[in-house]
Amino acid sequence: MKYTVITGASSGIGYETALAFAARGKNLILVARRLDKLEELKSAIQDIDPTVNVIVRTSDLSVTDQAYTLYNNLKEYHIETWINNAGLGEASFVAEQNLDKVETMLRVNIESLTILSTLYVRDYADIEGTQLINVSSALGYAIVVGSVAYSASKYYVSAFTEGLAKELEMKGAKLKAKVLAPAITETEFVKKSLDTEEFDYKANMPKYHTAKQMAGFMVDLYDNNDGVGIVDQNYNFKLRGPIYPIIPEF
């Protein structure tokens, strides 16, 4: 039995991606901190298709040791797709940043993502039909003043994943590494970034996507041979090849 792992599955893009993959009959391993939200999602999926096998795992990926624990505890399952969707934001000028919050963000966005990606590639690089999809951001390709640390963390995700994809290609690996780069999406993300209880997207954002739309883009990326799915400045979703220049060897 094959499974798709989705981190950050308790809300937003991860939640809707789980529903989209379940609609295709994909068995799922859902990962997040909030067990109640994962159980709610599992119930919703089994209402859609009771034949889909859903496993829930709680993990706090701001604690990098938990990334190792999570992966090692999933060794018994055959994982055909791993989606690193968990991520945090920070919306403030660098000099005004809450460094505790920034450290937590870097551990989730960079450290745990790198650990999980590396462990998955080690085990599955030569297995046909496998994919690693890392969720970056449109700000992983453009810097916005007031979110510099967040942008930089997502630059890492984009560069790391594009570089990994090239390494896999050079080695003739069967696993494909891909980047999904959303722009503003209607999720809990902005509220957490701004440390606010409420955020009105319609009042504050001239353009944005819903989490369900972004999950649709995730599926399009999954189905396509292109390695990058990015939302452009006009909020159009585009599938394309690598964006960063890559030097094959030093």
Side-chain angles (χ1 to χ4, degrees), residues 60-105:
D60 182 353
L61 295 177
S62 70
V63 181
T64 49
D65 281 351
Q66 290 199 25
Y68 288 101
T69 301
L70 170 66
Y71 189 85
N72 289 332
N73 286 342
L74 298 180
K75 284 274 197 176
E76 64 186 283
Y77 301 103
H78 180 102
I79 299 169
E80 65 174 349
T81 308
W82 189 293
I83 300 173
N84 281 316
N85 168 71
L88 297 174
E90 163 67 358
S92 59
F93 284 83
V94 171
E96 300 162 5
Q97 290 181 138
N98 177 333
L99 283 176
D100 287 340
K101 185 178 178 184
V102 171
E103 286 181 17
T104 301
M105 177 185 73

Side-chain angles (χ1 to χ4, degrees), residues 121 125-126 164-174:
V121 167
D126 295 321
L164 170 59
K166 185 62 178 180
E167 288 184 351
L168 291 167
E169 178 189 315
M170 289 171 63
K171 290 182 176 182
K174 294 175 181 177

Side-chain angles (χ1 to χ4, degrees), residues 34-165:
R34 297 177 291 182
L35 179 60
D36 59 330
K37 294 293 185 180
L38 291 176
E39 293 289 0
E40 174 188 307
L41 175 54
K42 179 178 179 178
S43 178
I45 289 167
Q46 292 182 330
D47 285 344
I48 294 170
D49 185 349
T51 67
V52 170
N53 194 18
V54 181
I55 296 163
V56 299
R57 289 286 187 270
T58 56
S59 184
D60 182 353
L61 295 177
S62 70
V63 181
T64 49
D65 281 351
Q66 290 199 25
Y68 288 101
T69 301
L70 170 66
Y71 189 85
N72 289 332
N73 286 342
L74 298 180
K75 284 274 197 176
E76 64 186 283
Y77 301 103
H78 180 102
I79 299 169
E80 65 174 349
T81 308
W82 189 293
I83 300 173
N84 281 316
N85 168 71
L88 297 174
E90 163 67 358
S92 59
F93 284 83
V94 171
E96 300 162 5
Q97 290 181 138
N98 177 333
L99 283 176
D100 287 340
K101 185 178 178 184
V102 171
E103 286 181 17
T104 301
M105 177 185 73
L106 296 178
R107 287 193 293 269
V108 175
N109 293 8
I110 295 177
E111 292 181 18
S112 286
L113 177 138
T114 304
I115 291 163
L116 294 170
S117 297
T118 302
L119 294 173
Y120 183 63
V121 167
R122 284 179 182 174
D123 286 344
Y124 287 89
D126 295 321
I127 296 178
E128 192 69 48
T130 53
Q131 291 194 37
L132 169 70
I133 301 177
N134 286 334
V135 177
S136 178
S137 169
L139 298 190
Y141 295 96
I143 295 171
V144 171
V145 173
S147 293
V148 170
Y150 171 72
S151 290
S153 76
K154 290 301 189 177
Y155 263 70
Y156 176 88
V157 174
S158 297
F160 172 78
T161 311
E162 288 194 19
L164 170 59

